[in-house]
Amino acid sequence: MAADVPPTTQSFINTVTGDKLDLDTSLPDGRQTPAVKEFLQTGRDPYEEVPSCFPNGKSLFLTACSGCHGGEMEGKVGPSLSDDYWTYPVNTTDVGLFSTIFGGANGMMGPHNQDLTLDQILRVMAWIRHHFSGPASHATWLTAEQQKQFKPFTAADEAAIKQSTDPAACKL
Ligand code: HEM
Ligand code: CA
């Protein structure tokens, strides 16, 4: 039997319709990780700005998202995910971004609840957040401390974090 989805204090709604999202429609794996438990309580993605988690997040992004959003998130069929503009301002919160990925938006942006686990969605989100190219003060999903440290992604950065895409390499 699949492990239950941990309790949450957050409210997850479809980005377009506002309908309640049912986290029980997530894949059976990856529900009970420390990161998922923490996210469901705090509404913050604990993988953000944790370099050991970037390679796995990147590999998941390349499989599930880059075909439409571009390998560097520059935008293709889908919009850029690295610039300082959001069609849906709710995506400036981690709960909002999670909801867009889990439940989808319009047209080609389908729900990803059946191809990424809850934990994998958080890893992809951390990779997306790390590509934010606007001013750090607009990265309101980060803590004040993280905003101070935040440096937008560069190619050099990518070389420095080139390590195993093994999910187990990601350590909080
Ligand atoms: C919109 C993320 C996969 C096509 C979006 C938005 C996000 C997102 C956050 C909203 C952006 C905003 O508010 O400005 C992702 C992630 C993916 C993924 C993380 C992989 C897990 C895909 C795929 C396609 C696609 C595979 C094409 C088949 C689109 C389109 C939009 C969009 C067309 C605009 C939808 C609208 O405005 O309602 N995506 N996406 N995405 N995405 Fe994706
Ligand atoms: Ca954008």
Side-chain angles (χ1 to χ4, degrees):
M1 213 188 78
D4 289 342
V5 173
T8 186
T9 57
Q10 309 296 310
S11 118
F12 296 94
I13 59 169
N14 182 283
T15 299
V16 175
T17 64
D19 291 345
K20 195 177 183 310
L21 293 173
D22 182 2
L23 298 188
D24 290 338
T25 65
S26 59
L27 289 168
D29 287 341
R31 289 178 163 186
Q32 294 265 355
T33 68
V36 167
K37 286 180 188 165
E38 186 178 329
F39 171 66
L40 293 179
Q41 285 303 315
T42 64
R44 280 184 182 276
D45 178 356
Y47 292 136
E48 282 172 23
E49 297 312 290
V50 178
S52 67
C53 299
F54 291 153
N56 184 230
K58 175 182 179 180
S59 125
L60 295 165
F61 183 86
L62 292 178
T63 307
C65 324
S66 66
C68 295
H69 291 281
E72 312 276 294
M73 311 187 190
E74 68 279 14
K76 264 169 104 172
V77 180
S80 166
L81 301 177
S82 58
D83 63 7
D84 196 12
Y85 175 80
W86 302 93
T87 308
Y88 306 103
V90 73
N91 290 322
T92 60
T93 68
D94 287 344
V95 167
L97 180 61
F98 177 93
S99 299
T100 300
I101 300 169
F102 187 88
N106 276 320
M108 303 270 282
M109 184 59 201
H112 288 271
N113 59 319
Q114 284 293 308
D115 53 56
L116 295 170
T117 69
L118 296 182
D119 192 72
Q120 287 174 327
I121 292 175
L122 296 178
R123 290 166 184 232
V124 168
M125 284 168 57
W127 184 239
I128 292 173
R129 293 306 197 199
H130 190 58
H131 281 68
F132 181 65
S133 59
S137 62
H138 291 192
T140 49
W141 46 86
L142 298 176
T143 62
E145 197 48 44
Q146 286 173 320
Q147 281 182 35
K148 269 191 237 149
Q149 310 282 327
F150 185 77
K151 300 250 183 346
F153 175 86
T154 64
D157 199 3
E158 173 143 46
I161 58 158
K162 212 168 238 157
Q163 5 161 336
S164 171
T165 57
D166 180 347
C170 166
K171 297 236 163 44
L172 285 183

